[in-house]
Amino acid sequence: MQKDLQQVIKWSVLGFGVNILTVVVVLVLWIINRRPKQLRRVHLSANNTFSVLAALGLCLAFFDVVMLLRAILSAQTILYHEWMYTCSEFLVWMAVMIESRCETWSDVLCNGILCVWWIVKLLLLMPRLQIAFTSPQVLRWIREASGVILDITFATFINIIRVKIASHGNSSVVDPLLPYRRQIEERPVMNSGIVCKTWHLMTFKAIDPVLQHGLNKQLDFEDLLQLPTDMDPSSCHNLLLRMWDSQQRNNLRHLSLFKAICSAFGWPYFCIGVLKVFNDCMGFAGPLLLNKLIRFLQQGATNVDGYVLALSLGLVSVLKSFLDTQYSFHLGQLRLKLRSSIMTIIYRKCLHVSLAERSKFSEGEIQTFMSVDADRIVNLSNSVHDMWSLPLQIGVALYLLYTQVKFAFLSGLAITILLIPVNKWIANLIANATKNMMEQKDERIRKTAELLTYIRTLKMYGWELLFACWLMKTRSSEVQHLSTRKYLDAWCVFFWATTPTLFSLFTFGLYSLMGHELDAATVFTCLALFNNLISPLNSFPWVINGLIDAAISIRRLNKYLSCRESDTGPSTSSPIFYEEKIDSKELAVSVRDASCTWSSHDEKEFDLVLEHVNLYVPKGFMVAIIGEVGSGKSSLLNLVLGETRLINGSIHLTGSKAYVPQVPWIMSGTVRDNILLGKDYDQNRYSEVLQACTLDLDISLMKGGDMARIGEKGINLSGGQRARLALARALYHGFDTYMLDDVLSAVDAHVARSILQYAILGPLMNKETRILCTHNTQAIYLADMVVVMDNGHVKWVGSPSDSSIASYISFLSLDEINTLTEVQRNGKMSNLNDEMEKPRELDSIRSSNEAQDIIEVEARKEGRVESAVYKNYAAFSGWFITVLSCLSAILMQASRNGNDLWLSFWVDTTDSNQSTYSTTFYLVILCIFCLVNSLFTLVRAFSFAFGGLRAAIRVHDQLLHNLIDSPVSFFDRTPSGRILNRFSSDLYTIDDSLPFILNILLANFVGLLGIAMVLSFVQVMFLLLLIPFWFIYKKLQFYYRSTSRELRRLDSVSRSPIYASFTETLEGSSTIRAFNCEDFFLLRFLQHVQMYQRTSYTEIIASLWLSLRLQLLAAFIISVVAVMAIVGTDGHIPISLGTPGLVGLALSYASPIVSLLGSFLTSFTETEKEMVSVERVLQYMDITPEKLTGESLLDPNWPSKGEIQFQHVTLQYMPSLPPALSNVSFIISGGSQVGIVGRTGAGKSSILNVLFRLNPVCSGCVLVDDVNIATLPVRDLRSRIAIVPQSPFLFEGSLRANLDPFQMSSDIKIWDTLEKCCLKEEIEAAGGLDIHVKESGTTFSVGQRQLLCLARALLKSSKVLCLDECTANVDTQTASKLQKAILSECQSRTIITIAHRISTVLLMDNIFILDQGTLVEEGNPQALVHDESSRFSSFVRASTM
């Protein structure tokens, strides 16, 4: 009686009272807000949701009233408190429903008071819920559960809307789940198609056309889904940048990328978290319903409750499917937004950080930011939610276990708690291994990029194997840390995979030993809860690893993004004071007492490259900056550009500026793209610029004209063409100040003179300020001002007519100086026209509407990933390891299924009192199953780790060796960014992601196999479902996989331009900043990212389309199994459908099939997607290598004489291009010195390409000492010939390694050679042979790099020495010294010199004149000079020697 009284009090006071108070609160708030000052409108989706929730609440309350009336009609006794509570509940939802139809409902229902009160209301109703949930009536239990879910949903919803309204004014929210808008306007008309639209969104119908296309044809980019507006990379970038900049504006000491991400995407991420709460809670409804159902079966009841429970189990699975896919969809959208914003913010930083500030990062490191770190930070969005979600799931599961087995679950919990410190220790070790691995990965990618960039030069040196060996050492260090990480991961997998089995053993063992009898309901509810534990327990180590990886990557990116940005405008670090004689308004450039360094602002110790420089350049002047190699000429230009770190003094630049670097920066694209650089096309100016830069003739000979494609770094252009193209770009843009760094050194005398007359001194540029670093004598004497640099100081500034300039150009005779001075006096270029022919003028530039491709479009496979790819990967891993991994996984699953079947047998014998064995016997068998399961789990984890590592090592090594054996033509056609993508992203997938996803796939497969076999054994009727079920499943996965494969391939193809563009921008960032083209390049990059985003977005929706349908299919199976179990107990069919233990086992196995089916196909398709990386790598393993072996053995002393014969040699680089050499024949006597002269693009460097067998000849042959070089092993051939390449090549490492990588020369010999190359003093001052050379040799000037390459060639005591314009970038004084050194040092050697300076070939024994690939003249230079009709004499006249 007392108990009934307490129940009445709880129901009447806490139920009725709370509801009546809620109605009063709503009424009071309506009265207060019935006349709002401003109408508010919540977005339509939120408006509709409110109406639906209110309607659902009203329906549930009405259902209760109907049930009470039915009970009265059935003559049942109804207590008054039930009427009180039910009617008050009806009143609450009626009030909410009425208010939701009012215009001011958001002011009432989203009021802070009601928001708080609704949460309090839930807490006050807890005692009533406790009574309801202990009720044996199934319908009542389900009704109360539905009411609780509705109340929680409503409370959460009104609080979210409340927060959204409050933060609307200054919110940075992007695409919240419940968007809010405030407007003063009329209430919108309800959209009649809202239900249809919602259904399409929930079921991902938008992907249907894409899937249909994927089934019928190969997908292309135009078939992809369009991105929603808020996912546009531009808006995502602006949002994150705004948050980052706000931290800088607030002068925060430590800028945090994580805080910026939280500010930008925190709110939608929180909303997604709310959705995850519902999703996780719904996961536990299954085990609770299962418990009720098994208890129903044990009781042997035959009423309708059994069918209600069975169908409820299926409906819960359906609801869980929709929640799960919606959570994944919104999280996927957020991940894509985050990825695009991080990638673009990294790219933007690259555009705005000066070269000096960037010097603390290697190029490989910066490329890793884009390829690896961005992805790791994106993965943080999964890990953060999992960090609270997994403990919540584990906590709820443990509480429900307590309700089943009381304190026996603590034994299992103790195992879990004991493993926590072990896993933490392992996680710390993994973090250290990951950090070290990333450092080595950065270094490996840097070295790989270096190898790819200079592959042509490395092949000429015969160093590609040496570089590959160095790269392999770095890779082995990386693999060492990777293996540490993999084996530690394997221990994590072992501990967490065996935990559920150990958990069941200890829990059921202790429960039995405590004297309790195991029954089917308890055991299989616990098993279902254990299954719920498996996923969070197994995920935990990966979540921790993900957080650790993301933390490391965020720390790395914080450092990079915190770098100071260079100012785009004129830079002034201190007040400028001008000399009295100079009018500040007439100055274009002023540098006052400036000192600078190439070190970043973080470095406290630095070396000054320029000290106390003062320079004032009046507007419209042409200034020639001269000086010896390494004197600081290029550094002075970079100082004015703001690329160096200014230590003291000030710089001021008036107006706009253009910059042409010493090594021209050429983009991949057409000739026109390179010149326009984003500017509008003006045909008249464009034609004038091409003629001024003498590019018109070159372009007319190209297939496609100015729309001809240029390869990466201008690989298919000559050095002179690259220089003129860079100059044309500057000229076309028409700036106030032009800074030209040695643009004349790469072109011959004719072209140099033409450029001076028509470009630098021509009408397009003669009124502007021109600052020219040069060694060209014509340019020096035609300048208005000459600046002499010496060892980082401005030594002398004055007019070129000053006689003191002669000491810097010592090889000029006094007569020539007087002549040139006279020329300058008589109007600079007036007499030049008589001495040279004007370049051929074309009426119009040959152009084409379509670009002609030199670069091959990236190939991608069609159809499914071939079985050969899987076989190759298995072969890389090792067939024994592959078989062992599969076998251990099968036996692991078999032991686990055996464990569960044994439990089923135990509970059945206990229930029927037929047990002839003791509890100890059952526990011992259970323990044996547990030990066997643990053993096979351990074997599987370590065999996978070992196999994955072995595959990673073999793939990298084979890919590297195949690439270095590839012909140069392959690298000419393939951008290095595309190849680097294989070594970074694809190899990272093979190293890390692929073994991981394969492991999951195998576990899912054997798990599904085990479930199918157990269900078939337990319930014979399940076999009838297998065939139709398998048919539907196969159709679904076939429909999806054909599209998913194409999407992954498109994803890989769309990723390559991002990395290629990023690599290109890294190299040309100083040019881009000088031209103020940052916005154009950022827009170009955003377009690449947008295509990548579209591919990924389509991929996500396609995978969720499949996941939803599979989960719905699995929900149907659960319903069928549950209903058949009920039918079997009713006795309506003649066959038995199993004991309660077996039925319980079947139902507990049917529950996880929802997630396991989806997980299996997801992991299967993910594996196929990841296998695309193996497929892409295998593409580069099938490249036809260059012919490395020879037909004849090479004499150790070959070549002994150095005699070279070209016999009718024709060379054509591509079928679409004209021949580079056409029927060329000549003989070079042994020990003679020969010069090769010709216009730019005449085929001079092609002679060396043939000699080094870089490109196969179409016809003819080359003999060296009467040996046909085509019959020799190519690496031996190249190692016997020395060369100084056109583009100087230094790699990162010690100077000694750069000069003598094989350690063949003594230090004395190296120092002696450096002295002959005029470098000894500079090297001694810098720190000797052990100084560290920076990436690309940036420690030295371009001239110094050329001299070091010459020293390297002289050290290689070869009988044949080739010099490809080796003195082009050095001053005339140094060039003269070098010429004498070469003549004295190499008297017995055959020397082939390609030169633009006529002075370097005048003393040669013989010269060859080339024109358009044909040998047009040869002879002794002294004899040809005196023959006025010879071509050589016209070159001499055009030169100022």
Side-chain angles (χ1 to χ4, degrees), residues 709-742:
R709 284 267 180 202
I710 298 175
E712 193 175 35
K713 299 177 185 174
I715 198 78
N716 51 322
L717 299 178
S718 69
Q721 286 171 329
R722 289 198 288 269
R724 285 181 286 142
L725 190 59
L727 178 63
R729 176 194 297 152
L731 204 54
Y732 183 80
H733 280 248
F735 290 116
D736 299 322
T737 303
Y738 293 89
M739 282 174 268
L740 314 175
D741 196 351
D742 209 9

Side-chain angles (χ1 to χ4, degrees), residues 46-58:
N47 202 334
N48 291 330
T49 307
F50 259 114
S51 300
V52 169
L53 288 175
L56 280 174
L58 199 59

Side-chain angles (χ1 to χ4, degrees), residues 1107-1240:
S1107 177
L1108 178 67
R1109 280 146 185 82
L1110 282 181
Q1111 290 187 54
L1112 293 175
L1113 190 61
F1116 171 73
I1117 289 172
I1118 290 172
S1119 301
V1120 170
V1121 171
V1123 169
M1124 290 312 297
I1126 301 298
V1127 170
T1129 57
D1130 283 350
H1132 295 316
I1133 53 176
I1135 58 169
S1136 170
L1137 294 177
T1139 61
L1142 289 175
V1143 169
L1145 181 63
L1147 288 169
S1148 66
Y1149 266 43
S1151 294
I1153 208 171
V1154 178
S1155 57
L1156 205 54
L1157 267 177
S1159 182
F1160 170 68
L1161 196 56
T1162 302
S1163 58
F1164 184 76
T1165 49
E1166 280 301 315
T1167 301
E1168 199 170 39
K1169 288 173 185 177
E1170 301 291 353
M1171 272 292 172
V1172 172
S1173 291
V1174 180
E1175 183 184 65
R1176 281 161 57 79
V1177 167
L1178 287 172
Q1179 282 175 2
Y1180 282 4
M1181 290 184 184
D1182 294 335
I1183 304 160
T1184 306
E1186 59 183 342
K1187 187 185 175 187
L1188 298 171
T1189 56
E1191 297 162 14
S1192 55
L1193 293 171
L1194 201 56
D1195 188 300
N1197 298 318
W1198 182 91
S1200 56
K1201 296 183 290 183
E1203 182 183 85
I1204 300 169
Q1205 296 179 48
F1206 269 58
Q1207 297 180 355
H1208 308 290
V1209 172
T1210 299
L1211 172 69
Q1212 192 170 14
Y1213 290 115
M1214 287 183 70
S1216 60
L1217 298 175
L1221 294 175
S1222 184
N1223 198 30
V1224 172
S1225 299
F1226 58 77
I1227 297 175
I1228 300 173
S1229 305
S1232 63
Q1233 298 188 4
V1234 174
I1236 300 177
V1237 182
R1239 293 282 302 269
T1240 301

